[in-house]
Amino acid sequence: MNIGHIEIVGNHIIAEEVLQVIQAWDQALLGQHVDDLMQQCATDISMFDVSSQLDGVRQYKKEWEKFSPYFNEEMKISRREVRLYAADDLVVMHCHSKVENPILKGKLDMPWCRTTLCLQKKDDAWLVVHQHISMPVDLLTGQAIVLKNKPKLRLVV
């Protein structure tokens, strides 16, 4: 897991617990272990991303099974501008994230995305209850706004 500076608001001990869960999450993705990934999700998980909205662990699993052939141990998951809000039973992490695959170098340059993960403590385990992945869009052109190293997001109307 490649994470730059992490700003923690709230309970630092809980934040460290959740960062270990996110590291296991990344390993499950890179190892194509969809079932391991699902063990880290609540049954009522929801996900919003650039192209879909999913509710429930079954739909979520189907989505990851569709993409798992593109994940492998050569890939790198990077996060920057990570902010983690940690309370006793709920943690929200938002950041910019990027997945890079050396096999696709020169063919496909994945952009930085905005990512939010919400985790809730259920039965002594931190489970992902919501994930949101998005890219800012210029409303006039419909084109994605590429997040640079120092992103400056603005609403264009």
Side-chain angles (χ1 to χ4, degrees):
M1 175 167 57
N2 181 12
I3 293 184
H5 172 74
I6 300 172
E7 180 182 345
I8 297 172
V9 178
N11 188 318
H12 286 252
I13 293 169
I14 288 174
E16 291 298 326
E17 287 177 19
V18 168
L19 287 170
Q20 289 176 8
V21 170
I22 291 169
Q23 186 171 12
W25 172 278
D26 289 354
Q27 292 307 311
L29 282 177
L30 298 179
Q32 300 175 324
H33 303 293
V34 175
D35 287 332
D36 291 348
L37 188 64
M38 294 307 110
Q39 294 298 316
Q40 298 175 38
C41 298
T43 57
D44 60 348
I45 187 170
S46 64
M47 180 175 103
F48 304 150
D49 79 7
V50 175
S51 62
S52 62
Q53 177 177 336
L54 306 170
D55 292 303
V57 75
R58 283 193 180 132
Q59 287 184 359
Y60 193 69
K61 182 177 182 179
K62 283 182 185 178
E63 191 74 3
W64 281 112
E65 285 172 337
K66 183 170 48 174
F67 291 111
S68 69
Y70 301 102
F71 287 84
N72 59 55
E73 293 178 357
E74 300 296 317
M75 292 179 63
K76 182 172 119 182
I77 299 172
S78 299
R79 294 183 183 90
R80 66 179 191 205
E81 299 182 36
V82 178
R83 183 174 289 162
L84 210 135
Y85 298 90
D88 291 342
D89 65 348
L90 186 68
V91 171
V92 175
M93 180 186 85
H94 64 80
C95 61
H96 292 143
S97 64
K98 184 176 187 172
V99 177
E100 297 173 285
N101 189 337
I103 295 169
L104 300 174
K105 194 165 186 117
K107 298 175 187 172
L108 178 63
D109 185 25
M110 292 299 291
W112 285 96
C113 296
R114 300 177 296 193
T115 302
T116 302
L117 277 178
C118 302
L119 296 94
Q120 186 175 26
K121 194 153 198 178
K122 296 182 177 194
D123 299 324
D124 290 329
W126 286 101
L127 300 176
V128 177
V129 293
H130 180 72
Q131 179 181 10
H132 184 182
I133 302 169
S134 68
M135 294 179 64
V137 173
D138 182 322
L139 296 177
L140 293 177
T141 66
Q143 299 295 311
I145 297 171
V146 176
L147 298 174
K148 305 289 184 189
N149 285 337
K150 289 289 184 182
K152 294 180 181 172
L153 304 177
R154 60 187 167 91
L155 179 61
V156 179
V157 263

